[in-house]
Amino acid sequence: MSGAFLLPALLFLPLVGGVVVALLRNNDKLAKLAALGFSLGELVLAVFAWIAFDANGARLQLTSSVEWIPQFGVNFALGVDGIALVMIALIAFLVPIVIGASWEEKLPEGRTLGGFLSLILVMETFMVGVFAATDVFLFYVFFEAMLIPAYFLIGRFGGPRRTYAAMKFFLYSLLGGLIMLASVIGVYVTSADVLGKGTFEWAKLAEISKDLSPTAQFWLFLGFFVAFAIKAPLVPLHTWLPDSAAEAPVGVGVLLVGVLDKVGTFGFLRYGLSLFPEASKQLAPLVLVLAVIGILYGAFLAFGQSDMKRFVAFTSIAHFGFIALGIFAFSSQSISGSVLYMVNHGISTGMLFLVVGMVMARGGSRQFADYGGMAKLTPVLGGLFLVAGLSSLALPGTNSFVSEFLVLVGSFPNEPVFTILASVGMVLAALYVLRAYQQIMQGPVRGTALVGLAGGPGSATDPESDTFKSKIADLSRRELIVLAPLVALIIGLGVYPKPVLDVITPSVTATMTEAGVTDPVVAQEGDK
Amino acid sequence: MLLAQVEQVQVPDLDFPAIAPILIVLGAACVSVLFEAFLPRSARWAAQFGLSVLTLVGAGAALLAYLGDAPATGVTTLAGALAVDKPALFLWATLLILGLGSVFLMADRRVEPGGAFAADAAIRPGTIQDRAQATTVMQTEVFPLALFSLGGMMVFTASNDLLTMFIALEVLSLPLYLMCGLARRRRLISQEAAVKYFLLGAFASAFFLYGLALLYGYAGSIKLSAIAAAAGGSDRSDTLLFAGIGLLVVGLLFKAAVGPFHTWSPDVYQGAPTPVTAFMGACTKVAAFGGILRVFSVAFEATSWEWRGVLWGVAIVSMLIGAILGLTQTDIKRMVAYSSVAHAGFLLIGSIALTDEGRAATLFYLLTYGFTTLSVFAVISLVRDANGEATQISSWAGLAKRSPVVAGIFTVLLLALAGIPFTSGFVGKFVVFSAALADGMAPLVVIALLASAVAAFFYLRIIVLMYMREPEEDGPTVSLPGVPTTITIALGVAVTILLGVFPSAVLDWSVVGAFVS
């Protein structure tokens, strides 16, 4: 198949963009336009890649490979399967939206928007790289390199506790990454033992690693597992996420939760199930327990949050539980559901983050308690908040419903107990989303962020007066343009998920073959 | 009768092309001493600097010329006292180029007006004469000292018997002790550092010598190969052998600043003039590990089962000490010292792998680490306030705002020390750990990776300070470096990034095969 240039282009275009934008950073307007231009160019490339991809074709497509460090059999090898392709498409889709949403971002003193956007573009390169790498060494390199722009984005441009959050984020990820490095080297050394010449090529490793002894598989997988469990995040290792997401600027939060964390779940599929099938099965009960704990615990904590950004972070932890559940339930429906969930979660949580950011941009506070009755002042924002919320709680008709349903239906035959427990999480989701919506949007206009402190400057303001309404304005045209594509996808994929599922399913089937698992006999035709 | 006697005296074979680099460096050191004695003061700096640069470049050229037709397995010369083989040549090349970088740093007279060294080191600190000399130009005796030390290092890495090694150890150490006491500013801690280094170094030398004596008692020879042959199969006393190995290795580990034999390094790194610290951090490390590699591989390989367990422990201790104590440091030079203790632990892992991969990995790591360290200290020497270098970590706050270029460069270097991909530090760690893993040291590798994660915290802390804090009112400023310092920094950063992205060529060079004996 032609189109081998597409992935390298997707990889390097944002990097070039990052450099250009960094050079233009003294001119805000030009820098913004350049950043947007590059990110839209990336989106166009992603569309081409989508077209060039043949869902029923080879396992890895659009491949290209250049020798990098021949002494260690390291190649700069790129290629995608359906799962990686949808993730790259998601990245390419979200980045322009994030840039649009950050158009008038209030940054800490002394920081330029150009610097911010340039880092976003550099991060896009590494994110694409993580999903496009078919060489385990290259994957590791991107995995770690991704931390650096993310670290600076949080630490330089974030909220009041940004240094702490950035440090915590970096150390957690680095720790996971270094443990993974031990396994990466281990895989290489093993391949050298088996093949005579070591390799990092994923496809070759997938062939030989299945024949390893279960103990060797277990230890090698464990290294990858810890890194992915931190990234994904599974429950005892999740504590960095709320801090990072809360302190990161809204746009970075979208990418952090929407894409960066998916590396963990993607890794479970590509480097867990396919490379170490026996070990994955061995560790599955542990993951399932953690996943269900994540679903319930995340939901409870989301319900109890007083900070809106932390709230979104905890809803994500609950959602990641569903994704992990689907992957480790080992049926084609559940895994397809999980992959679709990865996309949908990026869209709906991304949107939730953005609308929360828009609320905060108006009220200037992150606390729920400072808001109330906002829908009266900003009906459109209120409506879109509701759309994002409903998508997040997986209302039928929205995108998340399809994926959550697939995960639960697919998991049930193999893991009935865990599935039943997990479905409680659906109810809890309704609870926390609606509570948040009610607090911010419903009822009479109230809260210090909207009407000012009692006795303070805003206290005497009549909520009905025009001056007040002009201060808390409804969505601007820019904000509408930013949110419109997300709403379209939420509803579009809710009604007609087939185009995405068609791309995902063959890869999921292939992954299952590699993992040596088959669907349980009771599996039905399901959604077909 | 007379004729017969003359014939009995064998003049040892001298392979001049092979040892030309050493001869050039040591010969130039002697000339340099003469310069110091006979040239007028005003002409000395230019003459000494020029001579040093010419020497190192010339020695490098001699090395390259020899490399073309060097026998693949290496040769021994000077009656078997020196072994010039591929590892030695690689180490020499590394030493020469790192030495060149250090000489550039020493020669800079712009960062610290007049140079980083005292005009007359013998004057007591704090006296009137001392204040008077603060404004006069530096003494240039540091150049011959550096050349002697470098010559000693080169002999050290190539010495094929323990006595040559001991003499080389002294030749490389004694000038270092002196150089530590030459700082222009803060002369008290500089002299304290010199005394401390000298006393502890003398102890370490004594250990080495004692170990040498015991091994001679065991094997009846000081040749590395003879010791190996004796240990290979004999009914001699193992006590002598193991006590000898133990004492000898303590002496070596001391020079390499491997924990728990590192206690001198934070004080000395902090007190010594920064160009000298850079020289020690880069070149001494290379020489010491070059020597360790040779001794382990040639003399003690047969007994590796017995001592490897102990060195596992030493490596673990070194990594943990470096990583954990590094966290608590408030002085940046001390912090880098502890970081180097952690790195010494990593290097030791590669050194005890005793495979071709292990050797290649250690050599590669030494090269990358040397360049990064050199530039780290060069950058440290630039950040100054009214009292000289601002080595308090807290005073680096907000440096990115005042001097984005320096902060950017330092960030790259710190990331390299932390081993982040796309820097040479990552590739270095990767090759060392994969060699170790292939040799069955998985637990050690895991501990090393955890130690790297801990150590990353203190590198990051500095990045946080530089980028995420506001600068203080009376904070330090960045001096404009002179040309020599700029060259060293540029070289170091370029190598750090290039070897991170395209390491292939150097990885090939570092595959040197076995030592000759």
Side-chain angles (χ1 to χ4, degrees):
Chain A
M1 162 144 293
S2 68
F5 71 95
L6 276 170
L7 287 177
L10 274 163
L11 193 62
F12 288 110
L13 181 71
L15 192 64
V16 175
V19 174
V20 170
V21 172
L23 293 176
L24 294 173
R25 68 183 180 282
N26 291 325
N27 184 340
D28 251 12
K29 200 163 167 60
L30 221 55
K32 282 195 282 196
L33 286 174
L36 188 64
F38 275 102
S39 66
L40 288 174
E42 179 86 349
L43 182 59
V44 172
L45 281 176
V47 171
F48 279 125
W50 189 285
I51 295 169
F53 186 83
D54 171 16
N56 296 308
R59 177 79 174 93
L60 294 172
Q61 296 181 30
L62 310 179
T63 51
S64 59
S65 177
V66 181
E67 208 170 56
W68 186 18
I69 310 176
Q71 287 87 346
F72 289 94
V74 175
N75 293 315
F76 200 91
L78 304 174
V80 287
D81 61 359
I83 304 171
L85 180 72
V86 293
M87 290 315 296
I88 290 173
L90 178 69
I91 297 168
F93 171 74
L94 281 179
V95 170
I97 289 179
V98 163
I99 290 175
S102 310
W103 210 249
E104 284 155 18
E105 183 84 12
K106 285 193 207 73
L107 297 170
E109 197 197 341
R111 317 276 195 251
T112 59
L113 197 58
F116 178 76
L117 296 178
S118 137
L119 279 173
I120 295 250
L121 286 173
V122 172
M123 190 159 85
E124 184 173 18
T125 285
F126 294 144
M127 291 189 300
V128 170
V130 164
F131 291 108
T134 56
D135 182 287
V136 180
F137 186 91
L138 189 64
F139 168 78
Y140 175 79
V141 164
F142 282 126
F143 184 88
E144 291 282 49
M146 199 168 63
L147 294 182
I148 298 167
Y151 169 74
F152 279 106
L153 280 169
I154 299 172
R156 266 171 84 70
F157 300 97
R161 291 173 69 230
R162 54 178 180 264
T163 346
Y164 167 78
M167 190 72 118
K168 195 167 175 182
F169 165 76
F170 197 97
L171 288 180
Y172 261 82
S173 304
L174 187 72
L175 180 71
L178 286 172
I179 295 174
M180 181 164 83
L181 179 59
S183 284
V184 169
I185 298 174
V187 169
Y188 169 74
V189 170
T190 328
S191 77
D193 279 349
V194 178
L195 298 173
K197 166 104 178 77
T199 182
F200 282 102
E201 204 179 315
W202 176 81
K204 274 191 200 156
L205 291 175
E207 276 167 32
I208 60 161
S209 61
K210 275 195 268 300
D211 304 327
L212 293 178
S213 71
T215 345
Q217 269 201 31
F218 177 80
W219 286 107
L220 289 175
F221 178 55
L222 198 65
F224 284 99
F225 176 79
V226 171
F228 297 148
I230 289 176
K231 261 278 129 75
L234 288 179
V235 148
L237 305 171
H238 69 286
T239 58
W240 62 273
L241 179 66
D243 286 316
S244 309
E247 298 304 324
V250 170
V252 178
V254 172
L255 293 178
L256 194 69
V257 178
V259 180
L260 229 68
D261 293 354
K262 305 293 179 0
V263 176
T265 46
F266 172 78
F268 280 137
L269 284 169
R270 175 71 77 77
Y271 300 94
L273 264 54
S274 295
L275 285 191
F276 310 105
E278 289 312 313
S280 303
K281 278 174 228 162
Q282 236 178 323
L283 275 174
L286 173 70
V287 181
L288 291 171
V289 169
L290 295 180
V292 169
I293 292 178
I295 293 172
L296 301 178
Y297 182 69
F300 277 117
L301 285 185
F303 189 73
Q305 289 308 307
S306 57
D307 179 314
M308 294 194 284
K309 278 162 109 181
R310 294 181 75 87
F311 160 76
V312 181
F314 278 108
T315 67
S316 288
I317 290 171
H319 291 153
F320 277 110
F322 278 107
I323 301 178
L325 171 72
I327 292 175
F328 283 87
F330 299 127
S331 81
S332 54
Q333 271 181 340
S334 69
I335 298 181
S336 298
S338 285
V339 176
L340 188 60
Y341 210 132
M342 282 157 63
V343 178
N344 286 335
H345 176 261
I347 296 167
S348 57
T349 304
M351 175 154 173
L352 196 58
F353 239 118
L354 290 175
V355 287
V356 160
M358 288 167 187
V359 168
M360 292 186 324
R362 286 166 174 73
S365 161
R366 275 162 39 182
Q367 303 298 316
F368 281 116
D370 294 344
Y371 296 89
M374 199 169 172
K376 282 209 175 60
L377 306 170
T378 58
V380 181
L381 178 57
L384 290 176
F385 192 112
L386 190 61
V387 172
L390 293 179
S391 165
S392 178
L393 67 79
L395 188 81
T398 63
N399 57 347
S400 309
F401 171 73
V402 184
S403 43
E404 203 157 306
F405 184 74
L406 274 175
V407 166
L408 292 174
V409 167
S411 304
F412 186 76
N414 282 342
E415 307 290 347
V417 180
F418 288 118
T419 312
I420 291 168
L421 286 172
S423 40
V424 177
M426 295 185 79
V427 182
L428 294 174
L431 214 59
Y432 60 69
V433 166
L434 292 177
R435 169 191 161 268
Y437 177 72
Q438 216 168 20
Q439 170 69 39
I440 299 176
M441 295 297 172
Q442 301 290 85
V445 179
R446 62 189 186 277
T448 48
L450 298 183
V451 286
L453 298 158
S459 62
T461 323
D462 173 12
E464 298 302 315
S465 74
D466 289 341
T467 47
F468 184 76
K469 280 190 173 160
S470 69
K471 196 184 119 203
I472 306 289
D474 211 339
L475 293 184
S476 68
R477 195 189 303 156
R478 172 183 66 84
E479 287 169 320
L480 279 174
I481 295 174
V482 166
L483 294 181
L486 289 164
V487 177
L489 273 191
I490 284 178
I491 295 172
L493 288 180
V495 180
Y496 190 63
K498 191 167 175 300
V500 179
L501 275 174
D502 281 348
V503 172
I504 294 170
T505 315
S507 298
V508 169
T509 320
T511 305
M512 286 185 54
T513 320
E514 281 151 8
V517 288
T518 45
D519 277 325
V521 229
V522 284
Q524 306 133 8
E525 276 306 292
D527 58 315
K528 290 196 181 146
Chain B
M1 181 73 192
L2 207 69
L3 205 70
Q5 264 186 348
V6 169
E7 269 174 359
Q8 273 171 7
V9 179
Q10 290 275 325
V11 177
D13 255 354
L14 278 179
D15 189 346
F16 275 110
I19 58 171
I22 292 185
L23 295 180
I24 291 174
V25 171
L26 288 177
C30 296
V31 175
S32 184
V33 172
L34 296 179
F35 276 14
E36 200 62 22
F38 294 112
L39 280 184
R41 189 158 198 167
S42 56
R44 276 187 218 156
W45 180 84
Q48 295 283 29
F49 181 37
L51 175 69
S52 305
V53 172
L54 271 181
T55 305
L56 296 176
V57 172
L63 183 69
L64 281 182
Y66 176 67
L67 211 54
D69 46 23
T73 49
V75 291
T76 57
T77 181
L78 280 168
L82 284 186
V84 184
D85 44 20
K86 284 276 162 62
L89 291 172
F90 186 91
L91 287 162
W92 286 1
T94 310
L95 283 170
L96 286 172
I97 192 158
L98 292 175
L100 189 64
S102 311
V103 165
F104 276 134
L105 291 184
M106 291 171 196
D108 197 296
R109 293 190 299 180
R110 181 152 170 195
V111 175
E112 169 87 60
F117 300 95
D120 187 348
I123 295 176
R124 278 178 56 210
T127 55
I128 297 171
Q129 294 96 315
D130 188 35
R131 257 165 278 156
Q133 73 159 347
T135 49
T136 47
V137 292
M138 73 178 194
Q139 198 58 286
T140 46
E141 62 225 340
V142 66
F143 291 104
L145 291 175
L147 285 180
F148 272 119
S149 183
L150 204 62
M153 291 173 186
M154 291 168 70
V155 176
F156 189 72
T157 55
S159 45
N160 198 25
D161 67 54
L162 290 176
L163 211 53
T164 311
M165 198 169 228
F166 177 72
I167 292 166
L169 185 68
E170 293 307 300
V171 174
L172 82 87
S173 302
L174 289 171
L176 277 180
Y177 302 147
L178 286 173
M179 287 157 79
C180 288
L182 292 180
R184 176 183 288 270
R185 307 264 193 155
R186 298 203 285 177
R187 295 193 49 216
L188 264 182
I189 69 161
S190 168
Q191 297 190 349
E192 181 194 322
V195 173
K196 226 173 220 171
Y197 194 21
F198 170 66
L199 283 178
L200 291 173
F203 269 111
S205 296
F207 270 100
F208 187 93
L209 203 55
Y210 198 0
L212 192 166
L214 293 182
L215 286 170
Y216 179 68
Y218 171 76
S221 167
I222 47 165
K223 283 207 180 307
L224 297 181
S225 50
I227 295 171
S234 72
D235 46 3
R236 289 173 241 213
S237 152
D238 276 349
T239 323
L240 275 181
L241 175 66
F242 293 126
I245 293 179
L247 293 168
L248 194 79
V249 167
V250 167
L252 289 171
L253 294 180
F254 174 87
K255 267 294 153 227
V258 180
F261 312 104
H262 69 286
T263 41
W264 58 276
S265 74
D267 291 331
V268 175
Y269 274 41
Q270 182 189 17
T274 305
V276 174
T277 315
F279 181 59
M280 282 194 293
C283 295
T284 313
K285 207 64 126 196
V286 173
F289 272 102
I292 288 176
L293 269 179
R294 183 177 293 277
V295 169
F296 283 174
S297 308
V298 179
F300 302 142
E301 188 166 11
T303 42
S304 64
W305 273 108
E306 279 83 5
W307 51 260
R308 229 162 96 156
V310 178
L311 286 183
W312 271 52
V314 171
I316 292 172
V317 168
S318 189
M319 292 184 294
L320 293 185
I321 287 180
I324 293 170
L325 292 186
L327 293 175
T328 63
Q329 299 308 312
T330 54
D331 183 286
I332 195 153
K333 282 165 87 178
R334 291 183 80 86
M335 192 210 82
V336 180
Y338 278 103
S339 134
S340 89
V341 173
H343 281 281
F346 303 147
L347 280 163
L348 192 60
I349 296 179
S351 312
I352 58 180
L354 294 186
T355 55
D356 278 350
E357 290 80 33
R359 265 188 295 278
T362 312
L363 292 179
F364 182 83
Y365 199 113
L366 282 170
L367 178 72
T368 59
Y369 177 75
F371 273 108
T372 309
T373 308
L374 209 56
S375 316
V376 162
F377 282 112
V379 172
I380 288 176
S381 75
L382 297 183
V383 181
R384 316 177 73 87
D385 57 19
N387 299 318
E389 288 164 12
T391 54
Q392 278 293 315
I393 291 179
S394 56
S395 63
W396 284 52
L399 198 74
K401 202 168 217 174
R402 295 209 169 137
S403 183
V405 177
V406 169
I409 286 175
F410 205 57
T411 304
V412 170
L413 297 172
L414 288 172
L415 292 177
L417 288 179
I420 302 293
F422 296 122
T423 64
S424 62
F426 168 69
V427 183
K429 278 212 173 84
F430 176 80
V431 290
V432 165
F433 294 160
S434 60
L437 211 57
D439 204 35
M441 297 195 271
L444 212 49
V445 171
V446 172
I447 294 174
L449 288 167
L450 292 178
S452 316
V454 176
F457 180 78
F458 55 78
Y459 303 126
L460 274 189
R461 209 167 51 142
I462 298 184
I463 300 179
V464 165
L465 267 177
M466 292 193 301
Y467 280 91
M468 300 171 193
R469 295 276 153 76
E470 290 307 303
E472 289 167 29
E473 286 279 304
D474 51 350
T477 52
V478 172
S479 314
L480 263 187
V483 178
T485 305
T486 316
I487 293 176
T488 302
I489 295 179
L491 186 72
V493 173
V495 170
T496 301
I497 294 176
L498 270 181
L499 288 190
V501 183
F502 303 109
S504 292
V506 180
L507 279 175
D508 265 346
W509 298 338
S510 71
V511 178
V512 289
F515 289 96
V516 67
S517 60

